[in-house]
Amino acid sequence: GAVVSQHPSRVICKSGTSVKIECRSLDFQATTMFWYRQFPKQSLMLMATSNEGSKATYEQGVEKDKFLINHASLTLSTLTVTSAHPEDSSFYICSAPLAGAALAKNIQYFGAGTRLSVL
Amino acid sequence: KQEVTQIPAALSVPEGENLVLNCSFTDSAIYNLQWFRQDPGKGLTSLLLIQSSQREQTSGRLNASLDKSSGRSTLYIAASQPGDSATYLCAVRHGGATNKLIFGTGTLLAVQP
């Protein structure tokens, strides 16, 4: 079945550094990918929609200069947290919907998530 | 703005009990509704998806219902097992071309052996 691989699964960094998270669709092409953030004991909040070959669409309140998204190919989207601070510590999850009939049914596959801890 | 709420926030039951998780949404113009399971520190596993035209979906011990007009969905788990312990999330997709999902607040389920 379709698989979405997210890497790294865990990252610990110092305040002020930038962190890149990758999301890959392993056996299908994804023209769109979604990035979510989940704070402890809270639900997933959509941050942005990543579109292959064009600019990402950010949700209200999400700083696009802080969270850089690149979707350079049909199988890879990256989220870069620039100049990370402790308040950026969170669980980040990506998802990719299948195209075709599955798209109409809203079948999405989720990565395993990345736990970011900023010291 | 669509808001999705889940009740209860946490639930602890003894093994073998049947249980119901609730999900409510404020805007009934949804395309479909989906129930997910999330294990600690992990990604999401899709359990059931109900299209807006459907009333319920079943998979094994799970049954999900949808009452779109009243903005409610329930997830029924029969004969609960310790392995069912996880956080359960419901999510709605709005109509239109977008695949954006709006997630509920989640229910943390603990099934005691």
Side-chain angles (χ1 to χ4, degrees):
Chain A
V3 176
V4 172
S5 174
Q6 189 172 340
H7 178 81
S9 59
R10 169 117 197 188
V11 59
I12 301 172
C13 68
K14 293 182 179 180
S15 183
T17 59
S18 293
V19 175
K20 180 185 283 188
I21 303 170
E22 294 187 347
C23 183
R24 293 181 184 272
S25 55
L26 295 186
D27 52 3
F28 66 100
Q29 294 182 334
T31 56
T32 301
M33 290 186 179
F34 299 95
W35 288 96
Y36 297 86
R37 179 168 53 186
Q38 185 178 35
F39 290 107
K41 298 187 178 181
Q42 295 187 27
S43 191
L44 277 73
M45 298 298 294
L46 180 65
M47 298 175 65
T49 302
S50 171
N51 303 298
E52 188 269 335
S54 64
K55 292 182 178 180
T57 305
Y58 290 81
E59 295 301 302
Q60 190 174 8
V62 178
E63 301 175 58
K64 59 182 179 181
D65 294 330
K66 172 77 171 177
F67 300 99
L68 299 178
I69 290 174
N70 184 280
H71 196 150
S73 77
L74 286 171
T75 59
L76 174 65
S77 174
T78 60
L79 168 67
T80 300
V81 184
T82 62
S83 186
H85 289 93
E87 59 266 30
D88 298 321
S89 299
S90 187
F91 192 59
Y92 295 84
I93 305 178
C94 68
S95 74
L98 287 177
L103 181 68
K105 294 182 179 180
N106 195 39
I107 297 176
Q108 293 192 31
Y109 293 91
F110 285 79
T114 297
R115 172 76 59 194
L116 172 62
S117 300
V118 185
L119 305 177
Chain B
K1 178 184 175 184
Q2 177 74 272
E3 292 186 4
V4 183
T5 306
Q6 290 184 243
I7 295 174
L11 180 64
S12 181
V13 300
E15 181 177 5
E17 267 202 14
N18 303 324
L19 56 100
V20 175
L21 308 180
N22 298 289
C23 172
S24 61
F25 45 95
T26 55
D27 187 344
S28 63
I30 64 169
Y31 192 78
N32 56 38
L33 182 145
Q34 203 163 356
W35 283 92
F36 293 89
R37 168 187 173 136
Q38 184 179 29
D39 292 288
K42 300 289 181 64
L44 276 67
T45 301
S46 179
L47 299 173
L48 290 165
L49 184 150
I50 311 176
Q51 299 295 342
S52 62
S53 58
Q54 298 177 321
R55 298 284 294 185
E56 67 176 340
Q57 282 287 320
T58 298
S59 176
R61 294 183 293 110
L62 305 179
N63 176 275
S65 68
L66 174 63
D67 185 342
K68 189 178 150 184
S69 61
S70 67
R72 296 175 188 272
S73 175
T74 61
L75 178 66
Y76 176 83
I77 302 177
S80 59
Q81 303 171 358
D84 295 330
S85 299
T87 296
Y88 290 81
L89 297 163
C90 67
V92 299
R93 175 188 168 188
H94 270 273
T98 178
N99 265 306
K100 288 167 54 171
L101 295 177
I102 308 298
F103 281 85
T105 46
T107 294
L108 176 60
L109 173 66
V111 180
Q112 308 300 330

